Amino acid sequence: MSDAIRIVKATTHKPKPKDSDLGFGTLFTDHMFVADFQEEKGWYDPRVEPYGPIPLDPAAAVLHYAQAIFDGLKAFRGVDGKVRLFRPQKHVQRMNHSAAQMCIPPLDPELTLRSLVTLVGIERDWVPKTVGTSLYVRPTIIASEAFLGVRPAKSYIYFVILSPVGAYYPEGMAPVKIRVEEKHVRAVEGGLGSAKTGANYAASLMAGEEAKHEGFTQVLWLDGVHRKYIDEVGTMNIMVKIAGEVITPPLGGTILPGVTRDSVLTLLREWGAGVSERQISIDEVVAAHKAGTLDEVFGTGTAAVISPVGELAYKGHRMVVGGGKIGPTTQKLYDAIVGIQYGTAPDTRGWTLEV
Ligand code: COI
């Protein structure tokens, strides 16, 4: 792909929201990044243009067979006024992992990083200020070829859109109630579970709706074969702290390689805390609760950062976790990550990239 990013500036500008009005994913900035792919040309014409609809043939493969990937990262306005992306290189790397899983041609990592930095740079005034708010960055690739046969498409569109956001869950950092899902599964070994692709989120909708109907925020997914091992929670990675050790399921199968998951594991290891990446059964969680050693349960993800679980419902029984309050490890991890993101704690690991 040619290296030069073409820039077409918007002639009209939307009003910017107040930080206190921000929810998640409803508002979008004035510009977007776009690049095209054709088999014979590779990726070409990288450009920033005014935000708006993307022309798409009704036969476009993405609309029929869901050949698409996305990622999600955030830009923060630090207390020093500087704008920083959190671990953008890791997100670019994950995009290409997802692309490979979905038979989508890889992006050039250097140009992809530049697409994020360039777009956020142009839209820097949209990055909100208050702690807890940020500019959510959504890079996406869709299969655009008009063809109804089932095979990987020969043309694609890469685009990046930006959305000023507040908390993902209206609960914010308040502990959520989660129902252990016994019927539906999110992903199976050998399937798409480790790719950030819309199909995984589509597969989660019915369970999520049923859980909400019963008064829960989300579900805890169990493995697709035995309905035994814990997998993920809602759209997040899951961590449980039992008798002082934080346990999370290993990557390599159905688990999304979360960037917040990686950040949490890195911090815990640096702190010398007990950490283990291994399969953990729901029976082990129930037994720990009975024994009084289920210290904390929390989800990790870019959107919510850390989301404490205050209650787990399984087979009609309700397990209150940590007295329904935010646990000390959950809080310490949240504070550490948010501190780096907003520049109140030093970034000693090169996790942030100033825009
Ligand atoms: C996350 O960032 O935690 C997510 O995966 C949620 C996103 C799909 C809105």
Side-chain angles (χ1 to χ4, degrees):
M1 167 152 59
S2 139
D3 270 8
I5 297 174
R6 213 158 47 83
I7 294 174
V8 183
K9 283 284 182 81
T11 48
T12 56
H13 295 92
K14 299 169 200 163
K16 297 192 179 57
K18 281 199 272 179
D19 286 9
S20 53
D21 290 343
L22 290 172
F24 187 88
T26 53
L27 303 167
F28 302 94
T29 68
D30 296 319
H31 297 86
M32 61 186 186
F33 184 94
V34 187
D36 299 295
F37 178 93
Q38 277 174 22
E39 203 174 39
E40 55 292 358
K41 287 175 144 174
W43 288 104
Y44 66 98
D45 197 15
R47 60 203 184 269
V48 173
E49 54 183 47
Y51 183 95
I54 293 175
L56 211 53
D57 194 292
V62 65
L63 301 176
H64 302 272
Y65 309 125
Q67 197 195 359
I69 59 158
F70 68 94
D71 216 282
L73 65 158
K74 283 174 169 174
F76 299 88
R77 188 174 300 280
V79 286
D80 52 5
K82 290 181 180 160
V83 172
R84 296 177 180 85
L85 283 161
F86 187 69
R87 307 196 72 182
Q89 297 89 343
K90 193 96 183 144
H91 285 277
V92 169
Q93 196 188 334
R94 185 171 68 178
M95 272 208 96
N96 273 341
H97 164 79
S98 301
Q101 294 280 101
M102 299 299 288
C103 299
I104 289 173
L107 292 160
D108 168 25
E110 186 277 325
L111 187 67
T112 311
L113 186 61
R114 207 141 47 80
S115 72
L116 308 176
V117 172
T118 305
L119 185 63
V120 172
I122 288 173
E123 302 288 52
R124 63 169 57 251
D125 290 349
W126 281 89
V127 184
K129 285 190 179 60
T130 317
V131 171
T133 68
S134 58
L135 189 64
Y136 185 77
V137 182
R138 170 54 65 88
T140 305
I141 302 177
I142 56 172
S144 54
E145 186 190 359
F147 176 62
L148 294 184
V150 178
R151 58 146 172 76
K154 293 183 177 172
S155 57
Y156 297 87
I157 303 169
Y158 166 58
F159 60 88
V160 186
I161 55 173
L162 306 176
S163 176
V165 299
Y168 184 71
Y169 289 122
E171 290 95 328
M173 258 297 267
V176 293
K177 289 184 186 169
I178 298 292
R179 198 197 66 188
V180 181
E181 180 57 53
E182 294 168 64
K183 188 171 58 167
H184 305 288
V185 297
R186 170 189 168 271
V188 290
E189 193 82 31
L192 299 175
S194 75
K196 207 152 175 73
T197 184
N200 285 328
Y201 297 81
S204 78
L205 296 177
M206 194 185 282
E209 283 307 287
E210 288 174 3
K212 258 175 229 155
H213 194 70
E214 293 166 27
F216 298 95
T217 302
Q218 255 303 343
V219 300
L220 175 65
W221 298 103
L222 298 180
D223 79 272
V225 178
H226 312 284
R227 307 282 197 284
K228 180 174 173 187
Y229 298 103
I230 65 171
D231 221 6
E232 294 200 357
V233 60
T235 60
M236 292 183 289
N237 293 118
I238 177 84
M239 307 242 169
V240 296
K241 187 177 161 201
I242 295 179
E245 183 189 44
V246 175
I247 307 161
T248 195
L251 301 182
T254 58
I255 306 296
L256 186 86
V259 175
T260 311
R261 175 189 183 278
D262 182 81
S263 307
V264 161
L265 294 177
T266 303
L267 288 170
L268 288 170
R269 286 184 178 125
E270 282 182 19
W271 295 340
V275 189
S276 169
E277 290 176 77
R278 66 163 170 89
Q279 287 199 316
I280 171 163
S281 68
I282 187 65
D283 291 343
E284 187 178 340
V285 174
V286 171
H289 181 258
K290 276 205 188 110
T293 54
L294 181 63
D295 306 331
E296 299 177 44
V297 178
F298 55 96
T300 66
T302 296
V305 190
I306 306 263
S307 185
V309 173
E311 192 176 306
L312 278 173
Y314 182 51
K315 295 200 164 146
H317 296 294
R318 294 195 167 216
M319 298 179 273
V320 174
V321 184
K325 299 200 179 71
I326 305 175
T329 301
T330 310
Q331 187 69 54
K332 190 177 169 190
L333 286 163
Y334 175 84
D335 292 342
I337 291 174
V338 165
I340 298 165
Q341 290 174 334
Y342 292 92
T344 53
D347 174 18
T348 55
R349 300 164 199 88
W351 279 355
T352 60
L353 181 67
E354 204 181 306
V355 175

